[in-house]
Amino acid sequence: MAYQNIYVDREGPLAIITVNRPKSLNALNSQTLRELTQAVRDNADQRALILTGAGDKAFVAGADISEMAPMTPWSAREFSELGHVVTALLEDIPCATIAAVNGYALGGGLELAVACDMIFASENARLGLPEVSLGVTPGFGGTQRLVRLVGKLRAKEMIFTAEMIDARTALDIGLVNAVLPPDRLLAHCKQVAEKIATRGPLAVARAKRLVERGYDMPLRAANRQEAESFALLFDTEDRREGMRAFIEKRSPRFTGK
Ligand code: CAA
């Protein structure tokens, strides 16, 4: 698929997906959501994906308001589903996903970020769910994923007031992993991604699935899944290699088998 609104750079085991509509602060229209879905799917076998926005002002300033303005309830439903597809995909793929929030992450932009496994923000980032100021609710999972990250009280305050918070506040409430100077953000995300890429790929993929699926399960059932995954991994070459390397005091050479 030839992309118009995003670009993808592959660097060894990493893929960097950049939303590239800087004139509208990288707002997500349907075409961009489709392209993102395709790019995430096409790069799911990389070890890590980094999502970011073009320019120095915005990660993604939300769903595209000019496309949404004339929508009917039916087309709005379809549009919302497009956002749900890409955010669910980010959680489902085996590789790690990192949002490099390099400016505004608003509405659908924040919803994209909170579907990633980690969020790193630049000092100038501003995050929020301003949808109620447009007379709608968040539509790409914001009412659900934000609550799970920061708790009901803070999520409701952000959603009901539609106010943005700065990167430091986002760090304080556990909405981002770390805050970096703008010129260090992408390098930091790559460092984290490269570290993940040195670890056992099957183990990282299993760990991701356990966290994602286990979150909404009763603790006992989730722990049973963990025990099963732990046991299954004992039958892999990566597990043998990882433990052998430790004993032989060398770095492991994982093959994903
Ligand atoms: N959709 C469409 N265009 C957008 C946009 C959006 N979400 N956000 C910004 N733009 C456009 C602006 O219209 C403007 O275009 P023009 O130059 O053609 O006028 C351009 O990007 C630059 O924006 P501003 O001039 O407004 O820049 P600013 O620095 O003054 O303000 C801002 C920046 C505070 C982020 C402001 O642009 C803004 O409030 N944007 C809208 C944010 C928003 O409400 N997002 C949520 C959308 S709803 C949603 O996401 C629903 C969902 O959950 C699915």
Side-chain angles (χ1 to χ4, degrees):
M1 179 179 196
Y3 301 124
Q4 292 166 18
N5 298 336
I6 67 169
Y7 54 88
V8 181
D9 297 301
R10 282 200 185 208
E11 294 183 15
L14 321 180
I16 302 159
I17 302 176
T18 305
V19 179
N20 186 29
R21 301 185 73 215
K23 285 197 183 116
S24 54
L25 302 186
N26 303 321
L28 300 173
N29 58 10
S30 311
Q31 170 75 14
T32 310
L33 288 167
R34 286 197 189 89
E35 291 184 14
L36 276 174
T37 302
Q38 190 63 42
V40 171
R41 204 173 273 140
D42 287 350
N43 288 281
D45 56 351
Q46 295 291 96
R47 295 300 315 281
L49 294 188
I50 298 173
L51 251 63
T52 194
D56 53 10
K57 220 176 146 185
F59 170 70
V60 167
D64 190 320
I65 300 168
S66 50
E67 184 178 321
M68 284 190 297
M71 281 180 184
T72 63
W74 277 113
S75 50
R77 171 69 190 256
E78 279 176 6
F79 184 63
S80 171
E81 293 296 345
L82 285 177
H84 280 284
V85 167
V86 66
T87 48
L89 191 63
L90 286 165
E91 291 171 338
D92 286 347
I93 57 173
C95 78
T97 54
I98 298 177
V101 172
N102 56 322
Y104 291 112
L106 302 175
L110 182 57
E111 292 171 298
L112 196 62
V114 295
C116 290
D117 299 320
M118 285 160 225
I119 306 176
F120 295 98
S122 59
E123 283 160 350
N124 63 323
R126 309 260 288 154
L127 303 90
L129 290 178
E131 285 88 343
V132 298
S133 67
L134 300 167
V136 290
T137 63
F140 298 167
T143 58
Q144 306 308 308
R145 292 192 182 92
L146 186 68
V147 174
R148 284 161 168 76
L149 280 184
V150 303
K152 264 197 212 178
L153 294 179
R154 284 167 174 141
K156 283 180 180 165
E157 186 179 353
M158 284 180 72
I159 295 167
F160 296 0
T161 66
E163 293 286 348
M164 299 180 218
I165 58 172
D166 62 24
R168 292 277 159 207
T169 309
L171 183 64
D172 287 345
I173 66 171
L175 179 53
V176 301
N177 292 70
V179 179
L180 285 306
D183 59 346
R184 287 273 314 126
L185 177 67
L186 200 57
H188 181 80
C189 292
K190 285 185 193 177
Q191 256 173 23
V192 174
E194 276 156 11
K195 181 162 287 178
I196 294 167
T198 66
R199 310 307 191 202
L202 297 175
V204 171
R206 279 278 166 177
K208 173 166 174 168
R209 197 193 294 180
L210 286 169
V211 173
E212 288 299 340
R213 301 244 172 110
Y215 205 91
D216 295 318
M217 289 171 75
L219 182 64
R220 287 284 174 93
N223 274 340
R224 258 199 310 278
Q225 283 203 348
E226 189 193 73
E228 278 163 21
S229 276
F230 183 74
L232 274 173
L233 288 170
F234 270 71
D235 216 10
T236 64
E237 186 45 44
D238 277 358
R239 192 280 302 181
R240 280 185 281 277
E241 166 63 9
M243 295 191 179
R244 204 160 45 219
F246 177 82
I247 290 163
E248 293 170 6
K249 300 192 188 305
R250 60 172 175 81
S251 301
R253 287 180 294 270
F254 292 117
T255 56
K257 289 187 182 123

